[in-house]
Amino acid sequence: MDNASSVKEFILVGLSENEGVQKICFVLFLFFYIIIVAGNVFIVITVISSQCLNSPMYFFLSYLSFVDICYSSVTAPKMIADFLVENKTISFVGCIAQLFGVHFFGCTEIFILTVMAYDRYTAICRPLHYTTLMTRRVCSQMVIGLWVGGFVHSMLQTLLTSCLPFCGPNKIDHYFCDVHPLLKLACTNTYAVGIIVVANSGMIALSCFFILVVSYIVILVSLKSQTSEGRHKALSTCGSHIAVVVLFFGPCTFTYIRPSSDLSEDKSVAVFYTVITPMLNPLIYTLRNEEVKSAMKKLWSRKVGSEKGHM
């Protein structure tokens, strides 16, 4: 991170510079963040403590919830705090750390969603081989692989950006430090870096999206041979997953698959994949999944029962 930068801190413009709007946003996003943490923590606890949620699908779901908490925590607390202060600064090191965190957890989430699609494909299209293909060891190896993949991607994005010289201005038209806004501030030609950044993000997003689309086309075609009950159950779990994929991949692909031209547009879109999707994930998976709802009810009634027993 040793470069020719004279800039020691950046100023984050945030979502709005209007004081009234900032106060409304503070209440709104604080509420959203509480839901994100509470909802995803509840899913992790439910999956860990429930005997009936021991399949690979729920193993990956608990990791998705954990990543959602980490992903939103990289940007949301700073954004919420900035709504109340006039001086919205972030140190150079803090900015680069935030950039790394956003890409690390964001890329890891993309890989988890892809692995979850493969899990559904195996369960529905190859049910006889499912237990041998998706063993606990294989699932653990997949999780290690997606963490490593996320780390490699974010390291590349972070190193390319942090090595650029920044000599002013230092005003970032965003609510968190990201590649495109920082490239705009670098006092050198960033065309080559911009191409590498877009190619890196685009390759990951497009290849994973292609795998997801192919998986669900094969799944939908294979459902014709299923019984109506089996079809309904498969569509229920796949429907939740497709909804999450669309909510996350749509805005994420829009931002990173092209050279950025309108930063104010980018930061509005970024709200969807950094805040809205992590908040909706627990609701989507619990409302459409009877097993999760049943496990949550059991867990809740057990907690209430034990509390009454202590009184």
Side-chain angles (χ1 to χ4, degrees):
M1 225 179 282
D2 183 31
N3 59 21
S5 294
S6 58
V7 171
K8 300 301 174 196
E9 64 177 22
F10 293 100
I11 298 164
L12 295 166
V13 172
L15 286 174
S16 174
E17 293 185 79
N18 182 297
E19 253 184 70
V21 172
Q22 285 186 49
K23 285 173 184 174
I24 294 165
C25 284
F26 170 78
V27 176
L28 195 65
F29 283 96
L30 179 62
F31 175 68
F32 287 166
Y33 185 60
I34 290 166
I35 291 175
I36 289 167
V37 175
N40 284 294
V41 164
F42 199 31
I43 282 186
V44 172
I45 291 169
T46 303
V47 172
I48 290 170
S49 60
S50 178
Q51 294 293 320
C52 62
L53 302 181
N54 58 359
S55 69
M57 181 173 80
Y58 299 113
F59 174 74
F60 293 126
L61 177 59
S62 65
Y63 270 98
L64 178 68
S65 293
F66 173 72
V67 169
D68 275 336
I69 295 166
C70 298
Y71 188 40
S72 57
S73 296
V74 173
T75 58
K78 171 67 177 162
M79 174 180 66
I80 293 162
D82 280 349
F83 286 131
L84 298 179
V85 296
E86 198 175 321
N87 196 23
K88 301 172 176 60
T89 58
I90 185 167
S91 68
F92 184 86
V93 174
C95 187
I96 297 302
Q98 194 178 53
L99 167 67
F100 175 84
V102 166
H103 282 268
F104 177 51
F105 293 114
C107 187
T108 303
E109 178 143 346
I110 285 174
F111 290 147
I112 290 177
L113 291 171
T114 309
V115 166
M116 288 173 82
Y118 173 73
D119 171 68
R120 289 301 82 211
Y121 157 76
T122 313
I124 294 163
C125 303
R126 304 183 69 185
L128 298 175
H129 301 97
Y130 184 67
T131 51
T132 52
L133 286 171
M134 298 298 287
T135 61
R136 181 63 76 166
R137 187 184 173 187
V138 169
C139 292
S140 299
Q141 286 171 344
M142 283 180 170
V143 167
I144 292 166
L146 57 90
W147 282 116
V148 171
F151 179 79
V152 170
H153 162 76
S154 55
M155 276 304 293
L156 179 62
Q157 303 289 79
T158 305
L159 289 172
L160 283 170
T161 310
S162 63
C163 290
L164 292 170
F166 295 94
C167 39
N170 66 338
K171 209 171 188 181
I172 298 174
D173 188 14
H174 215 302
Y175 62 90
F176 66 89
C177 290
D178 204 359
V179 176
H180 292 314
L182 285 169
L183 290 182
K184 295 262 184 188
L185 297 181
C187 48
T188 187
N189 190 323
T190 59
Y191 180 78
V193 175
I195 293 294
I196 296 168
V197 162
V198 170
N200 181 21
S201 302
M203 183 182 68
I204 290 168
L206 280 179
S207 57
C208 289
F209 190 66
F210 177 74
I211 294 167
L212 285 160
V213 170
V214 170
S215 297
Y216 285 114
I217 288 171
V218 174
I219 287 168
L220 291 170
V221 169
S222 72
L223 286 178
K224 289 179 182 178
S225 59
Q226 300 261 357
T227 61
S228 58
E229 190 184 337
R231 201 179 299 131
H232 176 75
K233 190 178 179 183
L235 284 171
S236 177
T237 55
C238 289
S240 305
H241 195 63
I242 290 167
V244 170
V245 166
V246 169
L247 279 168
F248 187 80
F249 266 86
C252 204
T253 306
F254 173 82
T255 304
Y256 293 109
I257 210 165
R258 65 187 185 25
S260 183
S261 54
D262 188 348
L263 292 179
S264 60
E265 194 178 64
D266 279 5
K267 66 182 177 184
S268 301
V269 172
V271 172
F272 278 90
Y273 58 83
T274 59
V275 178
I276 305 299
T277 305
M279 180 182 69
L280 293 177
N281 279 1
L283 293 172
I284 291 168
Y285 279 109
T286 53
L287 290 175
R288 292 186 61 89
N289 193 303
E290 291 300 324
E291 285 180 320
V292 176
K293 279 196 278 189
S294 173
M296 280 185 166
K297 282 174 188 173
K298 283 178 186 174
L299 179 67
W300 184 253
S301 59
R302 205 160 63 225
K303 292 268 184 193
V304 172
S306 65
E307 280 177 15
K308 282 182 179 178
H310 286 302
M311 287 171 71

